[in-house]
Amino acid sequence: MKENTLSIKDRIMKALCEKKLLVENDIKKALEIQKERGGKLIDILVSMGVVPRKQLVSALSQELGIPPIDLSRYKISSEVIKLIPKKVVKNYRVMPVSKIGVYLTVAIADPLNVFTTDDLAAITGCKISVVIASDRDIDEAIAEYYEAGAHEAIEKIIGEIEPQGDIEVIDEVEDTMSSTQLIKLIQDAPVVKITNMLLAEAVKARASDILIEPLEGTLRVRYRIDGVLKEFQRSPKKIHPALVSRLKVISNLKIAERRLPQDGRFKAKIQNREIDFRISVLPSHNGEKVALRILDKSQATLDLDKLGFEKEPLESIKKAAMRPHGMILSCGPTGCGKTTTLYSVLKYVDSPKKNIITAEDPVEYQLEGINQLTVKPELKLTFASALRSFLRQDPDIIMVGEIRDFETVDVAIKAALTGHLVLSTLHTTTASGSIVRLVNMGVEPFLITSSMILVAAQRLVRKICEACKESYRIDEAVAKKLQLNNPRGKNVAYKGKGCKACQNTGYKGRVGLIEALELSADIRGLILEKAQEHKIREQARREGMKTLRENGIKKVLSGVTTIEEVLRVTVGEQDIAIK
């Protein structure tokens, strides 16, 4: 087919293929999804993760001759915003940028829709000049300029329910308010609105946790974004009982119980996505503290190749996962991505020919085709008892959420020795430290050497925001201290200046660091001798294992993260050089 007879859509597909951003199989798969579910082909390719948004915008720009724009770098005036109503920008997914004379520049996500510019011209009475932006950038700009800020909205709602007068009565609200009063409070619209806003704003900010903490006279709300806590709101403490009780009600917890810890979960539909929330309520001196864990399935990456691991440890993990039996351990502190890694391994090895069972506390993500069990210690359904039951279910692969005691590790190792592939997590800081930890738990060294295939330790580091990324030359003293050795000759690193896209942090998103310790013959010999942790680590490094910090430095030199981030998550003696 001649070039000039191709449709615009076909030209864009051809351009993406020529740039090796797409292959024919990707297009075929996207067409099958389009036939089954409907929707735009370009949107489907982006949702599949095969075409990065920025590359797609670039291809559209080149093929259509329309300049691209990064909306996060622009401050749009209120006069321009008023030209197009909120309903219109949401419906057409457009964003007004600037107005010069009779020309109105508008950022558009779908330049292939020929009716959009005509309609906008009719609505505004201006001549429309079009620039291209990604749909995500436009959605964020609409939320920033057209939606009321969550801070202001919450303060307004609180102001409406605050009593008038100059006298403030100080009492112990938590202890004196009855269940009837609490139920009446949580049914009031303002409390429902505040709760919904806090949850929606957390999802919008890509937070993984929400902390609601009563302090002396105030209520503090903090979000954990990319692993770092950030204060979101301080409000009068008087809304605390109603807010906590509202969260208890939607989580099916006891609102009258304020002396004992409680745990629960609930689901909410936010931004057309089903979000799972895990809730933990803990009595404290100033009142009940609430911690909410946000589990957004749409943001979860359960693909080993997309976790950001370096090539060598990734290959080691894939090789270990294909073994018919043995044990694989994932180690690290809470919140470092251990469970996500194990889920990704399960997805990698899953097939209709394999019987896979998991025991978790609790089940974080439901995996299709995999049998998942939530342990309940109060009913004497522990990891160890669940494992014993699993062995009567003829499993091929078993995942244990966490090894906490000798009983669990004893059953797990016996399962690995009797022909099962066992995956689990352990709270240690390094891969070599996990071996020593198992010995300290009472596991015989010969059982470890007979069952263990691989131990991986991991961390999560924040990625530099692409919108405000800039380079700088690393100081020679710092380079020497960190033993940097860039093969290109110049030790250049990157950092984020801070912009609207990253909430002025310089970081957006996270990527994994991992060290994978394979049990070679020499390492098995050291384990049998009950060698110290540093000796096992040194031997693993001689055999080619790259430590967490070494993998982190590679990401610094490749512009993925910063030196500060790597040093923050890899503190310790794990990277002492071998003399």
Side-chain angles (χ1 to χ4, degrees), residues 342-343 345-360 367-373 390 393-400 421 423:
L342 292 188
Y343 277 153
V345 171
L346 290 180
K347 293 288 285 183
Y348 179 72
V349 299
D350 184 29
S351 79
K353 297 179 180 179
K354 292 181 179 178
N355 179 15
I356 303 175
I357 311 179
T358 75
E360 304 169 57
L367 304 176
E368 187 177 351
I370 293 175
N371 307 286
Q372 295 171 273
L373 169 75
F390 286 177
Q393 291 283 323
D394 187 33
D396 297 295
I397 300 170
I398 299 170
M399 186 185 106
V400 186
L421 183 65
L423 314 178

Side-chain angles (χ1 to χ4, degrees), residues 56 61 65 75 112 240 259 287 331 333 368 398 421 522 558 564:
L56 180 59
S61 174
K75 181 68 178 175
L112 302 182
H240 174 253
R259 297 168 298 173
C331 309
E368 187 177 351
I398 299 170
L421 183 65
D522 289 336
S558 60
E564 292 79 8

Side-chain angles (χ1 to χ4, degrees), residues 18-269:
E18 286 174 353
K19 292 179 180 180
K20 297 183 179 178
L21 294 171
L22 272 184
V23 294
E24 289 294 331
N25 286 338
D26 292 331
I27 298 174
K28 287 180 183 177
K29 191 174 180 181
L31 287 169
E32 288 173 6
I33 295 172
Q34 186 185 43
K35 187 177 179 181
E36 183 182 334
R37 305 178 192 169
K40 297 173 183 175
L41 186 63
I42 288 173
D43 291 341
I44 293 168
L45 288 167
V46 172
S47 66
M48 286 169 59
V50 296
V51 182
R53 293 175 190 272
K54 285 194 174 183
Q55 300 285 1
L56 180 59
V57 169
S58 176
L60 282 168
S61 174
Q62 289 179 20
E63 287 300 315
L64 302 175
I66 301 173
I69 188 172
D70 184 352
L71 289 173
S72 65
R73 294 178 178 268
Y74 283 80
K75 181 68 178 175
I76 304 170
S77 71
S78 57
E79 288 76 17
V80 173
I81 295 296
K82 290 174 185 175
L83 291 172
I84 305 180
K86 175 181 172 181
K87 188 176 180 181
V88 174
V89 295
K90 282 195 164 186
N91 186 41
Y92 287 96
R93 218 170 194 174
V94 297
M95 188 69 200
V97 178
S98 64
K99 183 176 181 290
I100 301 174
V102 296
Y103 287 92
L104 175 65
T105 301
V106 177
I108 185 168
D110 183 12
L112 302 182
N113 188 340
V114 294
F115 300 107
T116 302
T117 53
D118 293 338
D119 292 346
L120 291 176
I123 291 166
T124 62
C126 299
K127 293 183 178 180
I128 304 299
S129 176
V130 174
V131 290
I132 299 178
S134 71
D135 51 358
R136 182 176 292 173
D137 283 354
I138 287 177
D139 289 342
E140 288 178 359
I142 291 171
E144 180 178 352
Y145 291 101
Y146 282 91
E147 305 287 354
H151 290 276
E152 294 80 1
I154 290 173
E155 291 298 338
K156 184 179 177 184
I157 293 169
I158 292 169
E160 290 171 358
I161 62 176
E162 281 181 354
Q164 300 298 316
D166 300 324
I167 300 174
E168 181 182 355
V169 179
I170 300 173
D171 59 9
E172 294 295 329
V173 178
E174 289 287 338
D175 294 330
T176 60
M177 194 169 285
S178 68
S179 298
T180 307
Q181 287 173 308
L182 282 171
I183 290 170
K184 186 177 182 304
L185 260 178
I186 61 177
Q187 288 173 343
D188 288 342
V191 174
V192 175
K193 283 182 182 177
I194 291 171
T195 307
N196 292 347
M197 279 187 184
L198 289 176
L199 299 180
E201 195 66 18
V203 172
K204 177 185 165 187
R206 302 176 297 105
S208 60
D209 299 88
I210 307 171
L211 298 183
I212 299 171
E213 304 163 305
L215 305 177
E216 194 71 38
T218 61
L219 177 66
R220 179 174 69 178
V221 178
R222 293 189 290 172
Y223 293 161
R224 190 179 293 280
I225 302 172
D226 293 334
V228 178
L229 281 172
K230 182 179 180 182
E231 186 167 318
F232 169 71
Q233 183 91 20
R234 285 209 183 214
S235 305
K237 195 175 178 180
K238 63 182 71 180
I239 72 164
H240 174 253
L243 179 60
V244 173
S245 297
R246 171 66 184 165
L247 290 168
K248 283 183 179 180
V249 166
I250 60 180
S251 308
N252 291 319
L253 301 180
K254 298 176 183 177
I255 64 170
E257 180 56 77
R258 283 164 274 170
R259 297 168 298 173
L260 296 174
Q262 295 189 72
D263 297 306
R265 65 190 308 158
F266 64 92
K267 280 187 180 181
K269 193 167 187 180

